[in-house]
Structure formats: structure tokens, C-alpha cells
Amino acid sequence: MIHSTKALADIHNHVATFLDAFQSIKKSLNEISVLDRCNDETHLARSFACQDAYIADAIHQLEHVIPSLTTPVGKIWSTFSVLGERCNAVAPINHLPNEILINIFDILCTPEFSAPTVDWSDDRVRQSYAISSIVSVSGVCKRWQKIVVEAPSLWGRVEIRDPPYTVAKLCVERSRDVPLTVDMRGDWDADAVAEAFMPSASRWKELSLECLGSVRAGHLISRFNAECDRSSAPLLRVFTLWRESIVGFYGDSGPPEELTCLPLASQLHSLIIKSVPFPSAASTCIRLTNLSISYTEIAVPMFGSALLACTELHTLHLLRVRHDTSTYTSPLVPAILPYLHDLKVEDNTIKISDCVFLRIRAPDLHTLSIRGSYCVDVGTAGGHIGGGHTHPVAQFMEQHTTIQILEIPTYLEEAVFDASVALPDVRTLILEDRISDINFSRHLLYEIPAHAFPQLSELRIESRDYGVLPAIQDFVSTRARVQEGTAPLALSIDCSANWSKREDVERIRAWLAEHTQLKSWSCPVWVSTHTHPPIFK
């Protein structure tokens, strides 16, 4: 403490010396400015002479002061350094153990934290790196720099972008022996990448590959598989093959050719395909537990073969998948998936959805999510590949009564509705409205019998109209009256609409807050001076 006080006194004295010297210089320069304002031609010569004298005096004082500043400046910086170290020593964050700081830094370098809304179609952000946050942290102080450089786990994400791959090479070097998550984007060169990074191939646990060309991707994967064949225990379990789609499914350039090989296909646990043709080699991924397919086209027989082969699936997500236009006849062979826990089907073509609901048998299914018009289009009933007059989803629900989380649209074919409300174990019900004005039709909540879903504990609503709020109120009050003694529903509402009366919305909200466990409420009200018809009756 005594040392710090003396250091502050020294700084005060040095600053006072500087100020005295600069005040003298400032005075001389001020005199010059006064002379400049003199316009009397009779005194012009005298003004020039005086200016020369004052300028010479200012220069003389500067020449005298500058040499004497060197030592004080050095002492000041030294003093500031000492004071900074003492401040750092008492800062609360510097009392945290290294292990805690490493955990904090690890959060910083995740893509979700460093770039939550990155649009990879924008060339301006392609050069950003998640690891840049860690580099910034290392520049805060010497201790943090030492921690960051010596913590291999912080460098386990290798982002391979356009050459010369300097950042990626640094990550591989500093990660030492930890497993690697490799993310390849942009115009990467297969041979250059193989030469620089294949020695670390056995440490790759996750690989995300932007497929701009199937030949280049296939060449890299072949090199990778060859390298891993020489390893006793390669780690790769998660593979993502994707391409940014700007227009339609594949963008203006059309789809690349199908990738004929996959990295360590027989050992993969997770396969994610987006905006590239579905690889037929997926049927060799017999250990898959997660399969996610989006924005692509699949031949139905190929998709059926994949379902038959991947018997260890736990999750299956299909988003905007369409079937090819070729004609085919395919026998309806059930795909037994004893471990399938989570099934999500959204906005796929009818034949793809039919293939899912008529083929899959999942005795332990826990979550079923259906989005889009597949359950609504009455005209498709009876026209499916399985024949018959019962909607495939209705058949599927009748065979899978273990469902506990159910997500469905609010406009259902009658058979699907009847099968839905007959499910005995549903704990969470998620309803999605895709119509702009519910007043033109009676909401599904009004139709659900009071005795349906006896285990229901949570209700989530996604709607585009405030007309859903009275339906929710009616549903809650009816169930409370019929099922006395049960715990209040956990309720989440996400509603977007063009207009509404604030007092009506607030009244419903207050009632729901009293009679339910209102977990989340997103119902913005647009205040308008225009009159409009009431939405609540």
C-alpha cells in the first residue's frame, strides 16, 4: 500500500513538470496568435519580427523539455504497470481457478455464442471464426494468455475455410491430443486439406462438410477413410453434409452429384443431410442413432432401404424432403425401429410421409411431431401407397400408444383427430395454427373431449390469431371442471396477429395466469386507431 501511494505521488510530480513546460510553450504560441490578428500594415514588419522571436523561443523551450521527458515517461509507464498488476491481483475474476476460467472461455468459442445468427451465404461473414473469441480473450492479460494457450480443449474446433488454413493449423497444433470438431466451409482444396490435416484424422470426432462438388468431397472422404484405416480407434461419429440453398432445394446451380461414399460409414452415429442428394451409402450406416434429412430429394425405395438398415435409430427428422419423379413399385416392408424415440416429419411430399407412417414400427416412440398439411389434406386419404381408407397417421397413432409428446396442426382429418385424442400417455400437447383467421372455423381445442389426454400436464400453442385465446380459456376451464384435483396445466402461448383489443388480451392473460402455470406468453398487441370487429365472443 505504501509503495502504491509513493507511485501515485511520483506520477503527480511528473505530470506537474509536464504541465509547467507545456504551459510555457502554450504562452509563446498564444502570443503568436495575437500578432496574427493585427492588420495594421505599419506594424507588419514588427509583427513578423515578433513572431519569429516567439517561435524561436517556443522551439528553444521544446528542445530543452523533450530530453528531460524521456526518464519521467519511462518511470510513469513502469509505475502504471505496477499499479495494473496490483489492481489485477484484487479483481474478483482473477480469484477464479484456472479450471473455471477455461469453462467460461469454452463457452465463448462455441459457434452458437460467437455467431448466433451467421448467414453463411454472405461472403462477408465466411471469414469469421468461432475461435476468434478465444484469440481476443488471450490478449486481455498475461494470465489469460497463458491459460488459453496451454488449454488444448479450447482449440478443439478446427474451422477450415479458404487457403492458407492458418487458423485451422494453429488449432490442430494447440489442441494436442484432444478430439476435434472439424468444420469445412467455402472453397477448400481437397489435396491441400488432406496434406495439412490428415495426420490428425484419427482425432476427428465430428465433421461438417460443405459440399460444393461431390468429386472434391468424395476425394477428401476417401483420403480420410484411408488414413483412419491405419488408426486403431478413429473417433468420427457425427457427419454433416450440406450446401447452402439460396433458391429452391439446391440453389441456382442445381444439385451436385450424389456422394458415393461416407466417412467411416459403418461407425457413424449421426448423419445430417441438407440440400444435397441423399447418399445411397447411408444404408451402410448400420449404427446410426440420429438421422436428419432436409431440403433434398430421395427415391422412395432408397429411403425405404435406409429405414430397413438403420435399426438403431433413436431420432429421425425429415424436413421438406421430396421424392424423385421416377416410377417404381415397392413392396410395403415394415421397418422395425425398436429404439426410435423421437420422430419429426415436416412439410414433406405425400409419398415420403407415407413411407414413414406406413413402414415404421417403433414400439418405444416417445415424441411425434407432424407439421404441414399432411394430416389436413382429406383428398389424399385412401390414395396412399398402402391403400385402404384410413389416414396413415391415424394408423400410425393406433399402433404407437406410447407417445408422450405430441405436436400436430390444429386442422386434422377426422380419423387423425380421433386417433390423436385416443392416445393415453400424452404429457405434452403442441398445437400449431397455420391459418390466418380462426374465426372462420371452430378451433381444435373446442373439439377435444374433456376426458381425452388424461396424463396431459403441458400445453403449447403456436397461433397466428388472437381468436385462439378464448379457445384456450374454454379448454382449461372444461378440463379443470371435469378432472378435479389435477395439477394446473403448464401453458406456453406464442401468438402473432395483425390487430387485437389490448383489454381483451390482458383479461384473458390474467385469467390464464390464475388458473394455469403460465410458463411463457408472447402475444404482442398492435394498437390501432381503426375500428375492427371483436375477436372475443
Side-chain angles (χ1 to χ4, degrees):
M1 185 66 182
I2 295 175
H3 180 78
S4 298
T5 302
K6 183 179 182 303
L8 289 173
D10 290 342
I11 291 176
H12 181 273
N13 293 335
H14 292 316
V15 170
T17 301
F18 293 159
L19 289 177
D20 289 342
F22 289 128
Q23 285 294 339
S24 298
I25 297 171
K26 181 181 179 182
K27 182 179 179 181
S28 296
L29 297 177
N30 284 340
E31 294 292 343
I32 295 174
S33 63
V34 172
L35 292 173
D36 284 339
R37 292 193 294 270
C38 180
N39 296 321
D40 190 350
E41 295 183 2
T42 60
H43 298 285
L44 187 59
R46 182 185 300 175
S47 297
F48 284 149
C50 290
Q51 287 185 30
D52 291 343
Y54 284 125
I55 290 173
D57 182 61
I59 292 174
H60 174 73
Q61 291 189 55
L62 282 173
E63 291 175 344
H64 176 73
V65 170
I66 288 174
S68 65
L69 297 182
T70 305
T71 301
V73 168
K75 289 182 178 180
I76 287 178
W77 283 118
S78 176
T79 303
F80 275 137
S81 178
V82 172
L83 291 176
E85 291 178 359
R86 290 181 176 273
C87 289
N88 288 338
V90 298
I93 195 170
N94 285 323
H95 288 271
L96 292 177
N98 290 356
E99 294 76 13
I100 299 297
L101 286 175
I102 289 175
N103 287 336
I104 295 173
F105 298 159
D106 187 56
I107 295 173
L108 289 177
C109 65
T110 57
E112 294 77 11
F113 183 89
S114 59
T117 57
V118 168
D119 177 10
W120 291 109
S121 64
D122 188 346
D123 290 336
R124 293 173 298 178
V125 299
R126 282 182 177 270
Q127 300 304 320
S128 62
Y129 293 86
I131 201 66
S132 60
S133 299
I134 291 301
V135 176
S136 299
V137 163
S138 66
V140 171
C141 63
K142 292 181 180 178
R143 183 197 175 199
W144 286 19
Q145 182 184 47
K146 187 173 187 298
I147 291 173
V148 167
V149 172
E150 295 181 358
S153 61
L154 297 178
W155 303 91
R157 182 176 179 83
V158 179
E159 297 167 292
I160 300 175
R161 308 287 170 77
D162 299 333
Y165 315 120
T166 306
V167 175
K169 291 177 181 178
L170 179 65
C171 291
V172 170
E173 177 185 347
R174 290 187 175 177
S175 63
R176 300 177 191 171
D177 295 325
V178 303
L180 300 176
T181 297
V182 179
D183 184 2
M184 299 179 59
R185 303 174 186 264
D187 192 20
W188 48 270
D189 179 83
D191 290 325
V193 168
E195 181 179 351
F197 301 105
M198 281 307 153
S200 65
S202 62
R203 290 197 284 137
W204 295 10
K205 65 174 182 177
E206 297 182 23
L207 173 60
S208 177
L209 183 64
E210 183 178 15
C211 184
L212 299 180
S214 57
V215 174
R216 179 166 46 176
H219 177 57
L220 179 71
I221 292 173
S222 297
R223 293 280 298 270
F224 174 84
N225 288 338
E227 182 68 27
C228 288
D229 284 342
R230 295 191 286 270
S231 174
S232 58
L235 299 180
L236 189 69
R237 296 294 181 270
V238 179
F239 179 54
T240 300
L241 183 67
W242 68 282
R243 194 171 67 149
E244 190 65 39
S245 177
I246 309 302
V247 178
F249 275 59
Y250 300 118
D252 293 329
S253 58
E257 294 183 5
E258 178 194 331
L259 195 63
T260 58
C261 62
L262 294 175
L264 299 181
S266 62
Q267 297 187 35
L268 286 180
H269 288 180
S270 179
L271 178 61
I272 302 168
I273 304 294
K274 177 189 174 184
S275 298
V276 294
F278 186 74
S280 57
S283 60
T284 63
C285 302
I286 57 176
R287 297 185 183 180
L288 278 187
T289 59
N290 171 60
L291 177 58
S292 176
I293 312 170
S294 58
Y295 298 95
T296 191
E297 184 177 278
I298 306 176
V300 173
M302 181 190 299
F303 181 52
S305 298
L307 291 179
L308 291 172
C310 303
T311 58
E312 297 187 12
L313 281 179
H314 290 183
T315 62
L316 175 60
H317 293 176
L318 304 173
L319 169 62
R320 297 191 178 182
V321 179
R322 63 189 182 190
H323 62 280
D324 65 357
T325 56
S326 59
T327 57
Y328 54 85
T329 57
S330 177
L332 185 61
V333 180
I336 309 300
L337 304 178
Y339 308 108
L340 188 64
H341 186 268
D342 182 355
L343 175 60
K344 183 174 183 179
V345 180
E346 179 175 355
D347 287 328
N348 306 296
T349 58
I350 292 174
K351 291 192 176 185
I352 293 297
S353 296
D354 282 348
C355 188
V356 169
F357 292 112
L358 293 175
R359 287 176 180 262
I360 289 180
R361 302 292 183 268
D364 197 32
L365 189 64
H366 178 273
T367 301
L368 175 61
S369 174
I370 306 173
R371 285 176 171 253
S373 60
Y374 179 68
C375 295
V376 186
D377 192 353
V378 180
T380 63
H384 303 272
I385 59 176
H389 297 284
T390 302
H391 197 287
V393 172
Q395 295 182 38
F396 186 83
M397 289 180 176
E398 291 168 357
Q399 297 165 349
H400 297 84
T401 57
T402 59
I403 297 170
Q404 296 184 26
I405 299 177
L406 177 63
E407 180 176 11
I408 52 177
T410 54
Y411 286 79
L412 302 174
E413 185 178 291
E414 183 178 355
V416 179
F417 173 79
D418 292 340
S420 299
V421 298
L423 292 172
D425 294 331
V426 173
R427 267 73 170 174
T428 299
L429 178 62
I430 306 170
L431 299 179
E432 178 208 13
D433 290 333
R434 287 201 173 188
I435 193 167
S436 59
D437 190 352
I438 295 178
N439 288 317
F440 290 108
S441 179
R442 186 171 171 85
H443 195 275
L444 179 69
L445 283 172
Y446 288 115
E447 308 299 331
I448 297 177
H451 63 272
F453 305 124
Q455 305 297 324
L456 189 67
S457 60
E458 182 178 13
L459 176 63
R460 304 179 197 168
I461 302 290
E462 298 178 21
S463 179
R464 297 185 181 182
D465 198 289
Y466 283 112
V468 71
L469 297 182
I472 297 173
Q473 185 178 20
D474 181 80
F475 179 81
V476 171
S477 60
T478 301
R479 290 183 64 86
R481 185 172 60 254
V482 174
Q483 301 182 14
E484 294 184 6
T486 58
L489 279 177
L491 183 62
S492 301
I493 301 177
D494 184 358
C495 182
S496 60
N498 291 329
W499 49 260
S500 181
K501 288 185 178 180
R502 180 181 298 275
E503 58 271 20
D504 289 337
V505 174
E506 292 301 328
R507 175 173 53 83
I508 296 290
R509 178 178 182 176
W511 190 93
L512 292 174
E514 181 181 354
H515 293 86
T516 69
Q517 299 176 15
L518 193 57
K519 296 176 60 178
S520 67
W521 174 277
S522 177
C523 297
V525 179
W526 178 47
V527 180
S528 174
T529 57
H530 299 288
T531 59
H532 47 72
I535 62 171
F536 299 109
K537 299 178 180 179

